[in-house]
Amino acid sequence: MKYIAIIPARYASTRFPGKPLAVLGGKTVIQRVVEQVSKVLTEVYVATDDERIRDTVTAFGAQAVMTRSDHKSGTDRICEALDTIVAQGHTPPDVVINIQGDEPFIHPSQIETVMHCFDDPSTQIATLGKPFESIEAVKNPNSPKIVLDMNDYAMYFSRSPIPFIRGKEEKEWLASYPFLKHLGLYAYRTDVLRRLTQLPQSSLEIAESLEQLRWLQHGFRIKVGRTDVETVGIDTPEDLRKAEEFLQQQHG
């Protein structure tokens, strides 16, 4: 099996413009992401629509692929980048791993867990889930929840706390059910990735603003690997400050 990683990185961000180029512990966020992913994979590409990001990536010795600026999702950007990579003469991969450009602390074990999901030849798409550690986090709509079937395939993703725990007070929920937090790391078989980009938006996706619901609603299956590793994603300048503290704690 051949795996490659593609990291979508946009300069324009409503909450944090220029986020991939923000400096974290003396290195840009995007460099830290690339370095973490490169601990597992030899073929790592940054897909961007911004020349500043491209120039930064090539300056620290990594590979960048320019894409259009009008993509509506990271999945679409990943697919265009893949087509460019293959057109340049690279052997098409069996699986493409989509790693968020704002996850500088992504752990090698998390990438390996997603890769192992494809040991099952029937896996089309894979992602990660992590147990919630507090009921406050379960109730946070910015932390999507996953409900799994008995074979660790996703039945549904939601911003609401699911499932509903009947007859229990909120403080008893975590002891009553293993709520699972979705982590936004995806991997797709190459042919499946191309099919996903052809799908129209679905009603569930629009309702919850979760792209993966489009795939489920159109009949694709998503295998979910488990991780206990906590990372710090960066969505805002405040997150960057938290990431600095997290980095200092690791070094300490």
Side-chain angles (χ1 to χ4, degrees), residues 192-244:
V192 172
L193 172 61
R194 292 197 169 102
R195 289 161 63 192
L196 295 179
T197 62
Q198 302 303 311
L199 299 175
Q201 277 196 303
S202 73
S203 56
L204 290 175
E205 174 192 12
I206 293 169
E208 296 244 25
S209 190
L210 295 173
E211 183 188 13
Q212 63 270 32
L213 292 177
R214 180 192 315 188
W215 311 337
L216 286 184
Q217 203 166 1
H218 281 281
F220 288 87
R221 302 187 72 201
I222 305 174
K223 187 83 168 181
V224 181
R226 310 283 189 111
T227 181
D228 290 318
V229 178
E230 186 63 77
T231 61
V232 178
I234 298 174
D235 291 319
T236 66
E238 175 60 28
D239 291 337
L240 184 65
R241 287 189 284 273
K242 293 178 182 177
E244 286 280 5

Side-chain angles (χ1 to χ4, degrees), residues 67-190:
T67 62
R68 302 198 320 267
S69 60
D70 60 347
H71 288 303
K72 295 183 178 179
S73 72
T75 307
D76 293 337
R77 192 177 307 282
I78 291 285
C79 192
E80 185 194 350
L82 173 64
D83 290 340
T84 299
I85 292 164
V86 172
Q88 291 172 346
H90 296 270
T91 304
D94 298 293
V95 174
V96 178
I97 304 177
N98 175 355
I99 294 163
Q100 302 301 312
D102 57 5
E103 288 282 350
F105 301 107
I106 186 167
H107 197 274
S109 67
Q110 295 176 310
I111 300 170
E112 291 165 349
T113 295
V114 165
M115 292 169 66
H116 282 307
C117 288
F118 292 89
D119 293 345
D120 179 349
S122 66
T123 298
Q124 297 176 307
I125 307 166
T127 192
L128 278 183
K130 179 186 180 297
F132 277 100
E133 297 179 353
S134 71
I135 192 59
E136 289 73 26
V138 171
K139 293 165 64 177
N140 182 353
N142 293 319
S143 293
K145 275 61 68 174
I146 320 172
V147 170
L148 303 180
D149 68 12
M150 300 301 289
N151 296 307
D152 287 338
Y153 280 94
M155 298 173 66
Y156 194 68
F157 297 80
S158 182
R159 295 185 182 279
S160 297
I162 56 171
F164 176 76
I165 308 299
R166 185 178 180 184
K168 300 281 187 179
E169 295 185 18
E170 285 186 359
K171 62 184 180 182
E172 302 176 274
W173 284 8
L174 286 184
S176 303
Y177 183 83
F179 287 90
L180 200 62
K181 173 183 178 180
H182 180 228
L183 304 182
L185 171 65
Y186 294 106
Y188 334 78
R189 292 194 189 273
T190 299

